[in-house]
Structure formats: C-alpha cells, structure tokens
Amino acid sequence: MLVEESQSSRFVTKNYAHCPLKKRPVLVREERPATPPTTPPHPAHLATRLYHDYHYDTENDEPENLSTKPEDLSKTGNYPSKASSPVSASAIKVEPREWTQHQLDYLAACRTRLEPTPTELARPTPQYAYLPTLYSSYPMEELYPATPALSPPTHAQLYSRYSPASPPSSCSPPPCPEDLRSPGSVSSDSGVSVSAPRRPRYQCPDCAKSYSTYSGLSKHQQYHCAAAEGSLARKSFSCKYCAKVYTSLGALKMHIRTHTLPCKCHLCGKAFSRPWLLQGHIRTHTGEKPFSCHHCRRAFADRSNLRAHLQTHSDVKKYSCSGCGKTFSRMSLLSKHLEGGCGTPGSSPYEYRPETLPPTHGPQSLPHSATIHAY
DNA sequence: CTGGGGATGGGGCCC
DNA sequence: TGGGCCCCATCCCCA
C-alpha cells in the first residue's frame, strides 16, 4: 500500500499546504490498472452501507471490522435525490466521476446487503416530541429527518431502522429538556447542568481536568492531555509508527488507527481513521444528502453543513462583531471581517450571541423567545 | 472581497 | 473499554 498526501492524487485537487498536518487527508493509492469508464450510477441508488466495506491492509494488524453495529447511513431515513427532490440540480452537486466495473460491482454488492431483517423493519421510527423548545424554530425533522418522504416505502422502512436520533432507551419517558441538548448528547463537561444530580467525576491526574465518564477521561489522556506527556515514562504501550506511548493496549489500538487509517473508500482509495468519517466521505461519491433545509429545500450530506446553512436564513447571525454589530453565520466570516480592521483593540474578538445556543450552555439558560436558532 | 457550501477532524458523551 | 454518534470548528474552494 502506498500512502501519500492528497496533493499528489488525481482525485483531490485541494491545496492542503496551509492545513495542519493532522487535517490533511491521506490517500491510499491503488495499484490498479485503469479501466474504461462506465456510466455512473444514479446517486439515489447508491445510498448504501458503503462505509461498512472499508478494509484493512494486509500489513495492518487490526481486525477486519471493529464495528459491532450495522452501518448507519440512513440514520435519517430521508434520502432526497435528484429525481424526487425539488432542489435544483445545482443544489445537489454530484461529482461527475466515472466508475470502473469493479467499483460498480462493489456498489451492487453493498446494495444487496441492505436487505433488512424483519426485526430491523419492526424498529420504530424515532420521535422527537421531547426535544427542548429551543429547537422549535428548526424542527428536528429538519436536522433529524425521521420520515423518508422522498423515498419509496420499502426504502423508508429500510432506512428508518437505524435512525441517528433514535432516543436512547434511557430517554423514555421523556427527560427534561436540559438533559437533551441534543439527542444522545448530554452536555456534562461544561458543568452547567442545573438539574441533573451530581455524578462522580473522573479527574486527570496530570492536568486535573475532570470528566463525567471514565471513557472521557481515557480519551483525554490518550490524545489531548499535554501534561500527561511528561509522565508517560510509566506507561508501557508504545506506538510502532511514532513515539507515542500509552498506558493501555486499548488506547494504543485507538491511536494506531490514526496511522493505519483502516477505513478505506473502495471508490477512490481515500482512507480514514474512523468509520463515520468514511461514511461522510462516501456521501460525496453517492450524492446522498439526507439532511434537507425545509426553508429552501436544499439538501446536504452533512448535518453540520445544514446547520451552517440554516444560519443563512436568519436575519441575525450567530456571530456578531462587537465593533460594528454586524452578524455572521460563521466564525470564519467574522474572523475575516475582523482582519479587515473592524475589531476594536483589546476587545473580545467576537461576541457570541447567547440566544443562539451557546456551545457550553444548556438550553435551559436560553430565552424561549429567542428569535434565531442555530440548530 | 464576501458569503456560502463541501469536506474533514477533534472533543465529548452514551451505550 | 471500545464503538458509535453527536456537535462544533475549521479548512478549502467557488460563485
């Protein structure tokens, strides 16, 4: 296997020269002779469990598939396509690549594995009636489409079985809004939860940072704790690819994935460290855009991008310049604005508008009459 | 130049 | 303990 940075790939034209090394995608160049191009399949037909098909290199000593769950591509159950969506063709931009017969066979094989079991089909569609008021401006169906209105019924059944927003079993009966900043995500690290009972904290012995779960602490120690770097001498699991040392084999295995990049796209060879990264990447091939804006019907492959897009529908954006009061939908836009000379020296670089759901505060601290909603 | 979309990775949490 | 999922940030590119 040849691993190379993306700049030299024929598939990637982006310039990552200014991108941090860790953010530069790594491509795995396939030693495969070129084959005559074939007609690309319709994106709507490619909403498959592709990411499950990443494989490991022979020199990779990791197991074939670390996942214990079925692929979750259809977490939303909403799969807009060119044919069925009112979104203009330019809105859903499908990359005009051409597929080899090998890749088409691969895609077809993926589709055959999509047949749901009766048990899977019986899984109920998630409901979000318990979601906090904060989200009411942008109904959760928008970010978490639960009904595949644009798909055939069988498709709907198929893709509703593993909704991403399926409320965890612990969420029934509906929990308090402050416990559900987002489905499946409880903000406990910020320590601002006002009603939740105090749970024991797991503190990092090196930097004193505390976490609500042991796994949170573990991941912190694995990757993020700079203070722990100096105390690693007592740890015994070292990475054979770099100088990193870890206290547990599990931590080392997780780290090694960043070297081996076991999640490999069979269509372009690009490799990723995490399956869900590959999942998102595969959407760039299939054209699958499960997240649609109900304001303009534009569809997105990534929920985060939809969230950013929703900002464009707000008159008052999430990020505000403290100097001139102008608001921006993205931090990067505000940064550019400040670089242009609007920022007041010594003042805060920007003003985060709390009514748009601050990242570290629960919805309970927000006014219900907030006029803009970031999510 | 600005605003927006596409793509990707980190941090964190739950199961 | 690890997998999976989430939100968020940030990058590049393009209109």
Side-chain angles (χ1 to χ4, degrees), chain A residues 243-274:
Chain A
K244 284 277 189 178
V245 181
Y246 296 88
T247 56
S248 70
L249 182 59
L252 176 61
K253 281 183 176 180
M254 288 294 292
H255 165 74
I256 285 178
R257 293 172 69 93
T258 66
H259 292 291
T260 59
L261 299 175
C263 311
K264 183 178 175 183
C265 176
H266 281 218
L267 300 176
C268 70
K270 205 168 185 176
F272 300 84
S273 60
R274 304 193 214 180

Side-chain angles (χ1 to χ4, degrees), chain A residues 93-107:
Chain A
K93 186 166 57 180
V94 179
E95 106 184 38
R97 68 163 297 143
E98 295 173 332
W99 307 93
T100 66
Q101 187 59 49
H102 173 81
Q103 290 167 332
L104 289 174
D105 293 343
Y106 165 66
L107 291 170

Side-chain angles (χ1 to χ4, degrees), chain A residues 116-351:
Chain A
T117 66
T119 302
E120 290 170 335
L121 289 176
R123 189 169 300 200
T125 299
Q127 303 296 326
Y128 301 104
Y130 56 84
L131 289 168
T133 308
L134 177 71
Y135 298 92
S136 60
S137 180
Y138 288 128
M140 292 312 294
E141 299 79 36
E142 191 170 354
L143 291 176
Y144 296 88
T147 305
L150 302 178
S151 303
T154 54
H155 205 61
Q157 287 179 309
L158 177 64
Y159 284 114
S160 64
R161 47 184 185 156
Y162 294 119
S163 168
S166 292
S169 57
S170 61
C171 289
S172 183
C176 298
E178 58 266 31
D179 293 334
L180 285 173
R181 182 165 166 263
S182 66
S185 175
V186 178
S187 179
S188 59
D189 56 303
S190 60
V192 296
S193 180
V194 293
S195 61
R198 199 65 177 174
R199 292 193 293 178
R201 304 285 294 184
Y202 298 86
Q203 190 171 42
C204 175
D206 297 301
C207 70
K209 191 174 181 181
S210 65
Y211 296 85
S212 61
T213 63
Y214 181 77
S215 61
L217 171 61
S218 295
K219 290 186 179 180
H220 160 77
Q221 290 179 311
Q222 288 173 35
Y223 299 112
H224 318 306
C225 182
E229 298 287 332
S231 61
L232 288 175
R234 68 177 185 271
K235 305 177 181 180
S236 56
F237 297 95
S238 60
C239 176
K240 64 181 179 182
Y241 300 101
C242 71
K244 284 277 189 178
V245 181
Y246 296 88
T247 56
S248 70
L249 182 59
L252 176 61
K253 281 183 176 180
M254 288 294 292
H255 165 74
I256 285 178
R257 293 172 69 93
T258 66
H259 292 291
T260 59
L261 299 175
C263 311
K264 183 178 175 183
C265 176
H266 281 218
L267 300 176
C268 70
K270 205 168 185 176
F272 300 84
S273 60
R274 304 193 214 180
W276 58 267
L277 285 173
L278 175 58
Q279 174 187 350
H281 165 77
I282 286 175
R283 290 198 183 112
T284 68
H285 292 302
T286 64
E288 176 196 5
K289 295 175 184 291
F291 308 98
S292 60
C293 172
H294 74 176
H295 294 286
C296 65
R297 306 298 300 171
R298 187 173 182 125
F300 298 85
D302 185 87
R303 182 180 291 118
S304 295
N305 290 336
L306 168 59
R307 190 176 292 111
H309 165 78
L310 290 174
Q311 280 282 299
T312 67
H313 291 297
S314 280
D315 292 333
V316 181
K317 306 298 192 299
K318 186 176 180 179
Y319 300 97
S320 162
C321 175
S322 58
C324 67
K326 188 175 181 181
T327 60
F328 300 86
S329 60
R330 299 177 184 219
M331 169 73 87
S332 58
L333 297 176
L334 174 59
S335 298
K336 288 180 182 179
H337 170 75
L338 292 174
E339 288 172 2
C342 186
T344 302
S347 66
S348 175
Y350 73 95
E351 174 185 349

Side-chain angles (χ1 to χ4, degrees), chain A residues 20-39:
Chain A
L21 188 59
K22 64 181 180 180
K23 289 209 167 190
R24 299 182 191 181
V26 177
L27 289 179
V28 180
R29 188 173 55 205
E30 300 257 26
E31 298 294 330
R32 182 180 300 157
T35 55
T38 58
T39 303

